[in-house]
Amino acid sequence: MPPYPFEAISFRAKDNYPLQGALYLAQNSKRFLIIGSAFGVPYQYYKHIAHYFRENGISVLAFDYRGISHSKDGNMPAKDILMQHWGELDADAAINWIIEQYQPEELYYMGHSAGGQILGLASSSTQITKIIIAASGVGSWRLWPGIQKYFLAAIWYLAFPLVKLFQKGEYFHSKMLGPIPVPKHAVEQWLSWARSRDYLFTPSHGLDISNYQTIHADILGITISDDWYAPEPARDALIAHYSNCNKNNFLITPESLKLKSIGHFGLFKKKQEIEQGIWQPMLNFLNGKI
């Protein structure tokens, strides 16, 4: 299969950090969707679903957060990059860039994992009219079912700090987080959130979370039953913070799609069963059919 056509683009956050992305333009469309990536996942990973939406009349912007892949180098040293910057500065810049360049009639956002968590940190997030929360949730270990919560707590408090001790440089390498290295201080902030009772929404973290209450959008929350990273209670806890949004939730099982597994990353793989069973409901939601 030839590569999907896209336009490589660059835009700048309000602190002048350069961000890189891919634009999949649908012909004669004023509808745009921005993809907020998972932790340590480059924008190329979303090319299949970006092409799918474009073929169905919705233009898509996928981009890399600062310190990640194509946006690795900029005017902020890796040692200063925090996870909150991905929402406050980078997602905010992506939204504003689309608005300034294309004046969309409808503007959507799909947040995968971390991308679903950080949207409300962007001051421009109130411009979004429809949100897809995909395999995402509040990352507090207390929300995991049964014995899983204690296994996850052991990872947060013991495993990751121990691994980090033996890794030199400003980047953290772990396939559990994603396929590419991420800035260490972003990982440290993420771990501090995950150890807290209400994740990034815990007041002691000092974040401005007011936009989560001022977003007025329709939300579709999609959970995969064999996704260990984002169980239903975690999803529900996250979506609850989008308190003035209209909410619909879906639980998808591999069995319902005649697949052996899907997991945290499988919902964006190009398979006919995924396209029909996950992407089509997403498209129906954006088209107002859900």
Side-chain angles (χ1 to χ4, degrees):
M1 174 185 294
Y4 302 127
F6 70 90
E7 179 184 349
I9 56 97
S10 178
F11 55 96
R12 290 183 178 270
K14 56 189 173 186
D15 66 343
N16 210 37
Y17 193 102
L19 300 164
Q20 312 300 321
L23 190 63
Y24 299 79
L25 278 176
Q27 288 188 350
N28 303 317
S29 176
K30 297 292 285 183
R31 304 166 69 198
F32 280 79
L33 178 136
I34 296 168
I35 296 178
S37 304
F39 208 109
V41 176
Y43 68 68
Q44 301 99 310
Y45 181 75
Y46 302 97
K47 61 181 181 291
H48 300 306
I49 194 167
H51 176 72
Y52 173 80
F53 282 133
R54 181 194 34 214
E55 290 292 291
N56 284 279
I58 300 172
S59 297
V60 176
L61 169 63
F63 70 100
D64 287 329
Y65 307 124
R66 65 186 61 206
I68 301 294
S69 192
H70 293 81
S71 300
K72 185 176 181 179
D73 299 318
N75 58 4
M76 177 181 283
K79 65 181 180 62
D80 295 334
I81 294 175
L82 299 173
M83 188 172 172
Q84 72 186 79
H85 295 144
W86 298 345
E88 290 176 346
L89 298 172
D90 302 346
D92 187 63
I95 294 168
N96 285 324
W97 187 81
I98 288 292
I99 292 173
E100 291 166 4
Q101 295 294 317
Y102 294 98
Q103 299 81 49
E105 294 176 359
E106 296 183 57
L107 183 57
Y108 314 134
Y109 180 90
M110 182 179 74
H112 177 210
S113 194
Q117 300 164 359
I118 63 174
L119 173 61
L121 297 177
S123 59
S124 59
S125 58
T126 55
Q127 303 299 309
I128 304 293
T129 57
K130 292 188 178 182
I131 301 168
I132 298 172
I133 300 291
S136 182
V138 165
S140 172
W141 60 271
R142 299 165 182 83
L143 294 169
W144 266 244
I147 197 171
Q148 290 184 19
K149 64 169 60 73
Y150 303 109
F151 179 67
L152 189 62
I155 294 176
W156 290 172
Y157 287 96
L158 298 174
F160 273 12
L162 184 62
V163 171
K164 189 159 63 70
L165 283 175
F166 292 94
Q167 294 192 359
K168 297 180 180 180
E170 300 297 338
Y171 282 82
F172 183 81
H173 307 250
S174 172
K175 293 299 183 182
M176 281 194 68
L177 290 183
I180 58 177
V182 291
K184 278 186 178 178
H185 283 194
V187 175
E188 289 171 358
Q189 185 177 50
W190 171 64
L191 287 174
S192 73
W193 294 352
R195 293 166 184 158
S196 306
R197 182 163 296 279
D198 201 16
Y199 198 57
L200 69 88
F201 305 98
T202 305
S204 61
H205 294 308
L207 300 174
D208 181 1
I209 58 171
S210 58
N211 283 320
Y212 290 90
Q213 287 77 48
T214 56
I215 296 171
H216 289 79
D218 296 329
I219 289 184
L220 177 67
I222 294 180
T223 301
I224 309 300
S225 65
D226 66 334
D227 177 10
W228 188 81
Y229 289 81
E232 285 185 277
R235 176 203 65 197
D236 294 343
L238 173 61
I239 291 179
H241 286 283
Y242 293 90
S243 55
N244 286 301
C245 294
N246 300 315
K247 303 157 189 173
N248 289 282
N249 293 328
F250 272 83
L251 175 65
I252 296 171
T253 66
E255 294 79 13
S256 68
L257 305 187
K258 297 181 172 58
L259 295 171
K260 291 183 179 180
S261 65
I262 301 173
H264 191 61
F265 297 102
L267 69 166
F268 296 110
K269 292 182 178 178
K270 184 170 176 56
K271 292 184 178 180
Q272 185 176 7
E273 299 90 343
I274 296 292
E275 180 176 317
Q276 294 176 348
I278 301 179
W279 299 355
Q280 184 64 53
M282 290 180 180
L283 182 63
N284 291 343
F285 166 71
L286 296 179
N287 287 338
K289 297 180 180 178
I290 292 179

